[in-house]
Amino acid sequence: SNEVEVNTINTASADALATKCTSNLSGDFYESGSANPVSIAVADNGTVYLANSYQPYVLKLVFSGCAFTDITTGSGLTTSDYQTLTTIANNLHLVFQQGSNTLAHSVYNGTSWTTVGGQMTETEAQHGGHERKVVYASGNWYAFYEDATDVWYKKSADGITWGSAVDIDTTDADNYNPSVWLEGTTIYVAWYDPSSNEVEVNTINTASADALA
């Protein structure tokens, strides 16, 4: 049906499901013949944002009325960009791989896009839009990626100027597909180590000089 469907689970009410919302927009959110992971982020005011990780497509959803809006125009996304979403207060922050080795950053304030820009280049940066790649903690942005050998992150106070790359695991060189979660001031980072066929996890304490556990 080439549609995006969204529902909620009320964990405070016996995990009750709401009535799902289904998009009825024109365009190709789904790319035929390939996996199309959907990224989701929810603003403090309840506005839902959705992106196709492998297509230049971003949707805004007011869930209470199932009102979908295509907000792709103005985001800076083009074909073959690989994006991930997060929100701060009521703003959507879109971080995406632009071209083969550039990370860009755009902000949507609920009405329009502010393309912040900023480029974080890394020669062998790999994509993987179905994992969460960016968080905002302790007043800074943390963007995670892998270069086909190790998992790295870079840090920025403004989303434009990025610091030096930090290797999450220096004990080996076959770490892939990082995904992150923020809990308070602690970032949890998980990745796959194929040599041992294991999932590995570590934490970054952003309140203590980004100390690794």
Side-chain angles (χ1 to χ4, degrees), residues 11 46 58 65 68-70 102 189 196:
T11 62
V58 186
F68 285 86
T69 305
D70 182 355
T102 300
V189 189
S196 58

Side-chain angles (χ1 to χ4, degrees), residues 40-60:
I40 185 169
V42 182
D44 288 357
N45 62 8
T47 302
V48 180
Y49 295 97
L50 305 151
N52 183 326
S53 299
Y54 297 133
Q55 289 282 85
Y57 215 127
V58 186
L59 300 179
K60 173 184 173 181

Side-chain angles (χ1 to χ4, degrees), residues 81 102 136 163 194 203:
D81 291 342
T102 300
Y136 184 78
T203 60

Side-chain angles (χ1 to χ4, degrees), residues 24-111:
N24 291 299
L25 299 172
S26 61
D28 293 323
F29 191 94
Y30 175 79
E31 182 182 4
S32 179
S34 64
N36 289 258
V38 177
S39 298
I40 185 169
V42 182
D44 288 357
N45 62 8
T47 302
V48 180
Y49 295 97
L50 305 151
N52 183 326
S53 299
Y54 297 133
Q55 289 282 85
Y57 215 127
V58 186
L59 300 179
K60 173 184 173 181
L61 166 63
V62 179
F63 190 81
S64 60
C66 286
F68 285 86
T69 305
D70 182 355
I71 60 170
T72 309
T73 300
S75 65
L77 286 173
T78 58
T79 301
S80 297
D81 291 342
Y82 303 96
Q83 62 266 26
T84 188
L85 308 176
T86 193
T87 56
I88 299 175
N90 292 323
N91 290 334
L92 168 68
H93 291 259
L94 179 70
V95 175
F96 52 98
Q97 183 176 323
Q98 192 171 55
S100 61
N101 61 357
T102 300
L103 204 63
H105 175 212
S106 296
V107 180
Y108 184 80
N109 63 12
T111 304

Side-chain angles (χ1 to χ4, degrees), residues 134-153:
V134 62
V135 295
Y136 184 78
S138 300
N140 292 287
W141 290 97
Y142 293 78
F144 294 78
Y145 60 98
E146 49 111 333
D147 63 356
T149 57
D150 282 310
V151 171
W152 306 80
Y153 77 84

